[in-house]
Amino acid sequence: MNLHHTERTQVRRPINPPVTLDDGRLDVGRAVVLAGFVFGGLLVGSLGAWGAATQTGPDGSGAVLAIGVAVAALAWGFGGTVGYLGAMEWLDRRRRVEEWHNAALVAYEDAQGAETVEQVSEYTLTTSNPAHVLIAALWTHMRLREGVDTPYSARKLTGPGFLAGRRAFDVSKLGGEELSRKFAELGLVQGRADGRAGVWVPETAEEVWDTVLRRWR
């Protein structure tokens, strides 16, 4: 089992909103085109209405009158619809920008105006280093006092190790088996055999310390 060091950096920042503050601003070119459609429709509608009005006399043609009314209605309806939809689209976009702007301000205030950078280092223990074995033994003794059943078994030694609420190291499956054998070799565990975890011998952390340092070879 070799020492393996892993270092991770986590950066936390508010996510970027899906809109920018430029969204919803007045687009002159688009406004000119929209106004052209609206006024064009109103103009054509007015011409249709004028044509229909000239045919209201006794000599007026019914067909021309009908056509004038239809043109006026369609053109006015088209111009009004385009104008209404254009205005509603602009107002709706402005509303969305304002909502996301407020949400971004809340996220900014929650983060106190700064991103959070968290750096985490993890180590895989090695049985060839007495300091690593001592840390693992003290950690195992602590877990035993916390009520964990046979924390010195190979299966219970496998996985992450937490100290002071932080993930301090990681033990592989092979590493767990090697640590379990090393504990038995140092006399920290008695009665270990295949399929049997044995019994943890030290009663205090001081005994763990003395046993590892005194019997290390």
Side-chain angles (χ1 to χ4, degrees):
M1 181 172 62
N2 298 321
L3 175 64
H4 176 69
H5 173 230
T6 301
E7 189 169 289
R8 295 182 290 111
T9 300
Q10 297 178 347
V11 180
R12 299 177 182 177
R13 62 171 66 92
I15 62 172
N16 295 325
V19 298
T20 66
L21 295 180
D22 290 334
D23 290 337
R25 65 187 302 180
L26 180 62
D27 188 337
V28 177
R30 182 180 175 86
V32 170
V33 173
L34 182 62
F37 274 105
V38 174
F39 286 116
L42 295 179
L43 178 60
V44 173
S46 298
L47 291 176
W50 176 79
T54 59
Q55 301 298 320
T56 56
D59 298 331
S61 171
V64 175
L65 175 62
I67 293 174
V69 172
V71 169
L74 289 175
W76 282 342
F78 174 77
T81 301
V82 170
Y84 173 78
L85 293 178
M88 292 302 297
E89 179 186 11
W90 181 74
L91 292 174
D92 183 62
R93 182 170 296 182
R94 291 278 298 178
R95 178 183 56 79
R96 292 200 306 270
V97 170
E98 183 178 0
E99 290 176 349
W100 275 106
H101 173 68
N102 294 334
L105 286 178
V106 172
Y108 183 85
E109 292 174 354
D110 291 341
Q112 297 181 351
E115 65 182 19
T116 301
V117 179
E118 180 179 343
Q119 196 167 23
V120 180
S121 296
E122 297 177 2
Y123 295 87
T124 299
L125 300 181
T126 170
T127 54
S128 62
N129 190 321
H132 295 174
V133 175
L134 179 58
I135 291 174
L138 291 172
W139 172 67
T140 301
H141 186 78
M142 177 189 68
R143 296 180 69 203
L144 184 66
R145 290 294 173 262
E146 291 175 349
V148 179
D149 185 37
T150 63
Y152 43 86
S153 66
R155 184 174 63 86
K156 294 291 183 65
L157 288 170
T158 302
F162 292 88
L163 295 174
R166 299 291 299 271
R167 184 169 179 165
F169 57 86
D170 188 80
V171 179
S172 64
K173 182 177 180 181
L174 178 60
E177 295 174 354
E178 292 180 357
L179 272 177
S180 180
R181 285 196 297 269
K182 193 66 175 180
F183 288 166
E185 177 185 322
L186 293 173
L188 294 170
V189 176
Q190 291 183 351
R192 180 185 181 276
D194 291 339
R196 187 170 59 185
V199 178
W200 186 257
V201 176
E203 296 183 356
T204 64
E206 289 76 10
E207 290 185 28
V208 174
W209 180 282
D210 292 339
T211 301
V212 173
L213 296 183
R214 192 162 28 87
R215 299 186 179 181
W216 182 267
R217 60 181 183 276

